[in-house]
Amino acid sequence: SVTIVAFGNERDVFSEDSQQPSLLRSYLGRSALVSQVDSSPSAGHVGSPVCTEYQACVFGNVRLVVRDCPVWDIFDSDWYTSRSLIGGADIIVIKYSVNDKTSFQELKDSYVPMIKKGLNHCSVPVIISAIGARKNGVPCTCPLCTSDRRSCVTTSEGVQLAKELGATYLELHTLNDFYVQKYFGGVLEYFMIQRLNQKSSEKMKKRKKTQKCHRVQPPQLEQPEKMPIIKGEASHYDADLHNLLCGCQCADVAFYPEDLSTVVEAHKVILCSVSHLFMLLFEVKSPADVRDASIVRTAQSLFTVEPGAASPPLPRGVPPCIPPVRVVVKDSIFCACLPDILHFIYSGAFQWERLEEDIKKKVKDPEKTEHVLEKVKCILQTPGKLNTVKDCRSHQIKRLYNTSLRLFFNTPVLADVIFKIQGATVPAHRAVLVARCEVMAAMFNGNYLEASSMLVPVYGVSKDTFLSFLEYLYTDSCCPASILQAMSLLICAEMYQVMRLQHICELYIITQLQSMPSRELASTSLSIVSLLKKAKFHNSDCLSTWLLHFIATNYLIFSQKPEFQDLS
């Protein structure tokens, strides 16, 4: 079999043809060597498809698997899925539009280093495809024009990117038969044949090596079952924050209509994470910081914070028992739709079509519906940029939302709890902690000392490990620096019963050990037996089973190590 993984979007942001098939789908439909094409979406996050998978036959009886990932977000939010995609690829295709300079620059600066790290000196062929005809010729190269969004990506920039990755560079001016089938297809089929020959050669070498091996065999152990929960466990980040809104735990802001007849509660840290307008309203930023008069005008025309309702900074040790900030909503129609708008924001701020439908049902007037939706766009607006309906319907808002809570990670801004650990203090926000961690939800809402205290001591874990744990709660992502750090984070995740983080750490440890050569395994000071003991003690059954099998598989190496005697 041959697996092709494609990253990037060949359509530029200004293209009107959104129905044009992708490069890989065009190739599968045009090539005479490909047959029995079947496609299915593959989801890594609820509501946000990571990639589309195509399965077909090539060269008669060779199974071809193509995974097309048009959105780069997977590298930001789902480390283990992106790493497994690169690790399982026989050929990698990177696509970009020559008319989208901004996306190309983001690819070059942010994602190419991640791809290089994922390849880790593997001999996987990479094809870089620059797609489209340049609309405004060769862009100006003077310093004043380098930030122009409409400037094109030059051939030299594409070739330089290909050199960085050791890739093959192709320019496809249009997706017709010549460029797709003969030009791109010819190069792709050459690499497919090369990879098939390489796999066949490796299989023969492995068979000869097995036949020659008459050394002492390790104890017989059954292959441990794969960990399905690690492989495909979906993120519940958006669901956690949505449940926080439904439960109204730790609410620190209350919205009222002008007649004060109803109340809708929310959380400042969540609102500020998606909106500069709310940052301005709750004095996280000043008008000078925002630098957008339209946002200031919208905030003043839509909301009024009641005098004396703003929460003063609390001295250390004082319990956070102050009432929520009272905000009056001046627009009655907007106020009636506020629950639906908050559900939209707390659910990830990407289900724009659903919000439109909910407001249409509630208002039942096209003009009023458009009025409310315009207000929502103003709330979500980035300073200096006008949000359009196209922006709201894209993945861009969700991407901003998934990473924006990072702005409040380990900062005292809006913090209402301080952890004391190893003589240092770490500020945090109860709303995020309660939403993302059931143990902390019980701790802050039950009859415990922490529920009424501003300062909360933490024991049994280092400051760096606890910061990594909090970073996961805020951003839904983590990237341990080493196997030992991953084990420490796994122990912390087990202590606070955050199972998904525990499984991510398990997968990281397994992946790192699997990629370690035998020579390095024999000389490393890392104690696999110690890892096994910790995994057993902290109820990591999948990891402990895998480590025991790993020790047995590498019996000759581990039987020479002193810690081997500690195994009962």
Side-chain angles (χ1 to χ4, degrees):
S1 67
V2 176
T3 301
I4 301 171
V5 177
F7 296 106
N9 197 337
E10 53 270 51
R11 303 185 188 96
D12 66 80
V13 293
F14 306 100
S15 174
E16 299 297 327
D17 187 9
S18 59
Q19 302 300 320
Q20 180 186 0
S22 66
L23 171 63
L24 272 299
R25 187 67 186 88
S26 297
Y27 166 74
L28 294 175
R30 296 170 190 264
S31 176
L33 299 177
V34 178
S35 61
Q36 303 175 25
V37 180
D38 184 25
S39 67
S40 62
S42 173
H45 296 280
V46 176
S48 175
V50 171
C51 63
T52 302
E53 181 171 295
Y54 304 97
Q55 296 195 16
C57 288
V58 65
F59 306 127
N61 60 350
V62 177
R63 181 167 168 264
L64 178 64
V65 178
V66 178
R67 296 188 176 96
D68 194 359
C69 307
V71 179
W72 289 101
D73 293 22
I74 186 173
F75 285 88
D76 294 326
S77 60
D78 206 344
W79 170 84
Y80 55 90
T81 300
S82 59
R83 186 184 178 97
S84 64
L85 280 172
I86 295 174
D90 293 312
I91 302 169
I92 292 176
V93 178
I94 297 174
K95 307 168 290 176
Y96 66 85
S97 167
V98 296
N99 292 305
D100 194 349
K101 185 67 171 284
T102 304
S103 297
F104 175 84
Q105 199 64 41
E106 190 177 22
L107 159 66
K108 182 180 177 182
D109 296 340
S110 302
Y111 302 118
V112 165
M114 295 184 186
I115 294 173
K116 289 171 72 175
K117 185 178 179 182
L119 289 172
N120 197 21
H121 306 295
C122 296
S123 58
V124 177
V126 179
I127 302 173
I128 292 182
S129 300
I131 298 170
R134 294 178 177 85
K135 294 183 179 179
N136 56 343
V138 179
C140 179
T141 57
C142 70
L144 296 177
C145 300
T146 55
S147 61
D148 181 9
R149 288 178 58 86
R150 293 306 300 264
S151 64
C152 300
V153 183
T154 63
T155 301
S156 59
E157 288 174 314
V159 171
Q160 183 60 37
L161 181 66
K163 286 181 179 179
E164 287 184 32
L165 283 171
T168 300
Y169 176 76
L170 303 178
E171 278 200 358
L172 312 177
H173 299 307
T174 182
L175 298 185
N176 59 17
D177 283 336
F178 172 79
Y179 282 106
V180 174
Q181 185 178 347
K182 295 183 179 179
Y183 188 27
F184 173 78
V187 174
L188 189 64
E189 286 153 14
Y190 167 79
F191 283 130
M192 281 195 275
I193 294 171
Q194 200 176 52
R195 292 297 287 172
L196 287 170
N197 290 338
Q198 187 178 350
K199 285 185 176 183
S200 177
S201 175
E202 288 172 355
K203 192 174 180 180
M204 289 298 296
K205 288 180 181 178
K206 195 172 183 180
R207 185 179 297 172
K208 289 178 181 179
K209 189 176 180 181
T210 304
Q211 291 172 350
K212 292 179 180 179
C213 183
H214 299 290
R215 296 177 295 178
V216 179
Q217 295 300 308
Q220 294 300 309
L221 267 181
E222 292 183 4
Q223 176 72 26
E225 294 181 3
K226 291 183 179 179
M227 295 169 276
I229 194 166
I230 294 178
K231 181 180 178 182
E233 184 180 10
S235 166
H236 38 79
Y237 183 78
D238 296 336
D240 287 342
L241 297 181
H242 185 261
N243 292 337
L244 176 69
L245 175 67
C246 297
C248 289
Q249 295 174 307
C250 303
D252 55 3
V253 58
F255 293 96
Y256 293 88
E258 289 186 308
D259 60 2
L260 305 180
S261 57
T262 58
V263 60
V264 179
E265 293 184 320
H267 308 83
K268 287 188 280 188
V269 66
I270 307 297
L271 299 177
C272 291
S273 70
V274 297
S275 170
H276 289 269
L277 186 147
F278 284 120
M279 286 188 183
L280 183 66
L281 189 68
F282 299 126
E283 299 180 354
V284 174
K285 286 188 175 182
S286 66
D289 296 326
V290 174
R291 295 180 182 177
D292 193 321
S294 65
I295 293 178
V296 177
R297 287 194 301 270
T298 304
Q300 292 172 347
S301 65
L302 204 55
F303 302 108
T304 299
V305 178
E306 287 195 354
S311 54
L314 293 171
R316 290 187 180 182
V318 175
C321 54
I322 59 173
V325 173
R326 293 164 64 93
V327 178
V328 176
V329 184
K330 299 178 183 179
D331 189 320
S332 59
I333 302 173
F334 183 88
C335 189
C337 299
L338 188 58
D340 297 307
I341 295 168
L342 290 178
H343 278 281
F344 164 72
I345 290 174
Y346 277 70
S347 297
F350 71 98
Q351 298 176 338
W352 182 258
E353 291 84 356
R354 181 175 176 180
L355 177 64
E356 284 181 323
E357 291 299 320
D358 290 342
I359 293 178
K360 283 178 184 176
K361 289 179 183 177
K362 180 164 287 188
V363 177
K364 298 178 181 177
D365 184 322
E367 289 186 6
K368 292 180 179 178
T369 300
E370 187 62 29
H371 168 77
V372 173
L373 292 175
E374 285 299 323
K375 296 292 184 185
V376 176
K377 290 178 202 172
C378 290
I379 288 174
L380 298 175
Q381 181 178 331
T382 303
K385 178 184 176 183
L386 181 63
N387 280 358
T388 64
V389 175
K390 182 179 178 182
D391 293 330
C392 295
R393 286 176 175 165
S394 71
H395 66 274
Q396 294 171 359
I397 292 177
K398 181 177 184 351
R399 177 178 174 187
L400 169 68
Y401 180 71
N402 267 352
T403 57
S404 57
L405 272 176
R406 187 184 294 273
L407 297 173
F408 296 94
F409 165 62
N410 196 22
T411 65
V413 178
L414 299 179
D416 54 5
V417 63
I418 296 174
F419 292 102
K420 187 173 183 180
I421 178 168
Q422 292 184 333
T425 56
V426 178
H429 306 81
R430 290 171 187 257
V432 179
L433 305 178
V434 166
R436 299 281 287 136
C437 176
E438 292 182 3
V439 171
M440 288 195 175
M443 184 172 74
F444 287 124
N445 292 311
N447 296 319
Y448 299 100
L449 182 64
E450 292 86 354
S452 59
S453 176
M454 183 72 176
L455 198 63
V456 176
V458 177
Y459 304 103
V461 62
S462 70
K463 179 190 173 185
D464 290 341
T465 300
F466 191 70
L467 280 172
S468 297
F469 172 72
L470 288 181
E471 184 178 16
Y472 171 79
L473 297 186
Y474 276 74
T475 66
D476 200 43
S477 64
C478 78
C479 187
S482 65
I483 291 176
L484 290 178
Q485 186 184 6
M487 179 55 77
S488 299
L489 190 54
L490 183 150
I491 294 170
C492 184
E494 191 267 340
M495 184 180 3
Y496 288 100
Q497 292 297 291
V498 181
M499 302 309 294
R500 184 169 180 269
L501 176 58
Q502 189 173 347
H503 296 320
I504 291 174
C505 294
E506 288 176 337
L507 181 66
Y508 177 88
I509 293 170
I510 290 172
T511 304
Q512 292 298 307
L513 290 176
Q514 279 180 327
S515 63
M516 196 176 288
S518 298
R519 182 177 296 177
E520 185 179 347
L521 203 59
S523 60
T524 183
S525 59
L526 180 69
S527 174
I528 308 299
V529 174
S530 176
L531 292 179
L532 173 61
K533 287 183 174 182
K534 289 179 180 178
K536 279 183 171 291
F537 185 79
H538 292 281
N539 304 309
S540 182
D541 297 332
C542 292
L543 181 60
S544 61
T545 302
W546 188 91
L547 286 172
L548 188 61
H549 184 273
F550 184 69
I551 291 172
T553 305
N554 298 278
Y555 177 77
L556 292 177
I557 293 175
F558 289 112
S559 62
Q560 307 301 317
K561 292 180 176 283
E563 64 265 21
F564 186 78
Q565 303 302 322
D566 296 337
L567 285 173
S568 58

